[in-house]
Amino acid sequence: PTKNRPQTLFPVLRNIIDNINGNFEVVVQDNSDEITELPSDLLASGKIKYFYIPEHIPVSDNTELALTNANGKYLLFIGDDDFVSPKIMDAISIMEENSIDNMTYNAGYYWWDSVEFNKTN
């Protein structure tokens, strides 16, 4: 899901398209104030499915719409500013080889340079 953040969405999509090999699709469920025009290089990949809904809805509803529009055996949920490791397809291969239905992992922690913390410890 995304809303009014093409400045973070486009680099995420480029990273996925440029660094992950294999059979996959990326569902972009956009709830921005105006329709987001995806750059032609991203559309040319053929791996991006773009859906737009102009109504103001909660992020949880926008997420549900993304899930509804997704196809395939496995789903990796990310936000519009999340990194996806190129090793994701290796993880899927391990799941396939070992009949694993789902996988969780310890999330990485990061923050933007502009973030200021109330407590430094």
Side-chain angles (χ1 to χ4, degrees):
T2 189
K3 182 171 183 159
N4 296 330
R5 294 179 15 135
Q7 73 279 9
T8 60
L9 174 66
F10 296 166
V12 166
L13 294 176
R14 282 197 176 92
N15 181 46
I16 292 169
I17 299 304
D18 292 345
N19 295 307
I20 299 177
N21 298 313
N23 183 20
F24 66 90
E25 67 182 21
V26 178
V27 174
V28 176
Q29 186 65 52
D30 189 1
N31 185 229
S32 297
D33 295 332
E34 296 179 10
I35 193 165
T36 302
E37 198 164 319
L38 295 179
S40 58
D41 64 310
L42 293 174
L43 292 173
S45 73
K47 294 191 176 275
I48 297 176
K49 291 173 57 178
Y50 177 83
F51 300 92
Y52 176 72
I53 182 166
E55 291 83 22
H56 293 283
I57 59 174
V59 67
S60 57
D61 290 352
N62 203 35
T63 299
E64 288 293 329
L65 287 171
L67 294 171
T68 300
N69 288 317
N71 294 305
K73 185 171 182 179
Y74 298 102
L75 171 72
L76 172 66
F77 177 82
I78 64 168
D80 60 7
D81 63 351
D82 291 338
F83 174 78
V84 178
S85 171
K87 300 288 186 182
I88 189 66
M89 297 311 253
D90 294 339
I92 291 171
S93 293
I94 290 168
M95 292 174 71
E96 283 288 316
E97 292 166 7
N98 295 285
S99 300
I100 299 171
D101 293 331
N102 62 68
M103 181 184 303
T104 59
Y105 59 93
N106 294 329
Y109 294 97
Y110 63 94
W111 53 88
W112 301 107
D113 292 340
S114 59
V115 171
E116 292 183 24
F117 295 96
N118 289 331
K119 297 179 181 179
T120 58
N121 60 354

